[in-house]
Amino acid sequence: MGKLIVIKSNSEIECMARAGNALAQVVDDLKGSLKCGVTTLEIDKIVEDAIIKRKAKPAFKGYRGFPASTCTSFNEQIVHGIPSNRKIKDNDILSIDIGLILDEWMADTAFTIGFGPISEDIQRLIEMTQKSLHKGIEQARPGNHLSDIGFAIQSFVEPFGFSVVRDFVGHGIGRSLHEDPEVANFGLPKTGPVLEEGMTFAIEPMVNLGTYQTKVLEDKWTVVTADGKPSAHFEHTVAITKDGPKILTDLNG
Ligand code: MG
């Protein structure tokens, strides 16, 4: 509390929408290349080329020393996986997180995709995590409280037996990739700051099949579930407008 949440003007939100739309196009470019046998380094190259083609810059590369433009997290990896020569294979799920900077404004998005036959419970994990993102986004409107977002996400996924990661959360976003406030994916309703028009958040539920507890691997980046069970992750950059939430990182944004 007491933290500064930067309010953006309408014209600043338009700039962020251009960044968000460019990022949605990057994701769209990538989708046809996501198949078994492709390495995550190849994915990273496709992403970086697509970002540069749109006169934008990768937001993650070099951020606190991160070595790539994309975070690629397989199966029990939750977030911050580093692209490598590992190939996608049948039964894998892969979370892909991408950020870019266009004209000094940031956009951040993520999604999880399954390959080959994946079990029903893991398929449901992916689908419900994506739905929970939209449950959270729906709360991003003036007059609601910050924690209404996390409450909506948590109370949607837990009845399926899934758990919400506590150690990593969403965030404000704008000229910086990570601004205040932290946007938790859990918590009680009606606490924390009151939401206002002009706030811009990256809302990003990370939902686990088993325990919510996490570990960080020896590479100091890759976050995995403590019990080795799979995790899914979806993220959009969202602006709070007087009419409600506006998703900036979709193709209509
Ligand atoms: Mg993010």
Side-chain angles (χ1 to χ4, degrees):
M1 299 315 100
K3 294 204 171 156
L4 181 68
I5 303 177
V6 181
I7 302 292
K8 284 80 178 181
S9 67
N10 287 340
S11 66
E12 288 173 329
I13 287 176
E14 278 171 30
C15 292
M16 288 187 67
R18 278 194 287 277
N21 187 256
L23 182 50
Q25 291 177 38
V26 168
V27 169
D28 201 49
D29 276 9
L30 174 64
K31 288 236 160 124
S33 306
L34 295 175
K35 46 194 167 203
C36 290
V38 174
T39 71
T40 48
L41 264 179
E42 287 166 342
I43 289 170
D44 189 58
K45 173 82 165 80
I46 293 165
V47 165
E48 191 168 303
D49 289 349
I51 290 172
I52 291 165
K53 188 172 109 185
R54 291 179 174 82
K55 304 201 177 348
K57 287 181 286 201
F60 297 170
K61 200 169 198 172
Y63 184 85
R64 296 184 182 163
F66 190 77
S69 300
T70 317
C71 297
T72 52
S73 307
F74 281 104
N75 305 323
E76 79 287 357
Q77 299 173 352
I78 301 168
V79 285
H80 304 166
I82 300 172
S84 72
N85 287 318
R86 180 169 176 175
K87 288 179 177 163
I88 298 172
K89 58 179 178 44
D90 275 345
N91 314 121
D92 276 337
I93 68 169
L94 181 64
S95 298
I96 297 176
D97 193 346
I98 310 170
L100 66 68
I101 313 164
L102 182 67
D103 299 329
E104 297 179 18
W105 293 94
M106 301 279 175
D108 192 358
T109 196
F111 61 96
T112 299
I113 180 171
F115 297 89
I118 56 174
S119 68
E120 227 168 84
D121 55 345
I122 299 174
Q123 187 61 45
R124 190 163 56 239
L125 173 72
I126 295 172
E127 284 172 16
M128 295 310 147
T129 304
Q130 183 168 26
K131 279 195 177 160
S132 78
L133 168 60
H134 292 278
K135 297 281 180 191
I137 289 171
E138 186 53 32
Q139 297 300 317
R141 52 182 68 247
N144 278 0
H145 288 260
L146 179 62
S147 74
D148 293 337
I149 296 171
F151 176 74
I153 291 167
Q154 183 179 24
S155 59
F156 178 75
V157 299
E158 284 186 346
F160 296 100
F162 305 143
S163 68
V164 171
V165 170
R166 271 64 157 171
D167 296 337
F168 297 85
V169 295
H171 48 94
I173 181 168
R175 287 185 191 274
S176 301
L177 183 60
H178 294 118
E179 297 183 350
D180 287 328
E182 290 192 344
V183 182
N185 300 301
F186 57 93
L188 297 172
K190 302 204 181 310
T191 62
V194 175
L195 303 181
E196 292 174 37
E197 182 183 354
M199 292 179 176
T200 46
F201 297 156
I203 300 175
E204 50 176 320
M206 290 149 258
V207 180
N208 297 350
L209 193 64
T211 179
Y212 64 84
Q213 287 170 310
T214 70
K215 292 189 300 196
V216 179
L217 298 186
E218 274 177 14
D219 64 18
K220 301 254 185 19
W221 280 106
T222 313
V223 181
V224 300
T225 57
D227 60 7
K229 291 186 179 172
S231 181
H233 179 209
F234 283 84
E235 176 176 28
H236 274 306
T237 299
V238 176
I240 299 176
T241 76
K242 64 177 178 1
D243 302 318
K246 179 176 165 58
I247 298 175
L248 303 181
T249 40
D250 65 16
L251 286 172
N252 312 314

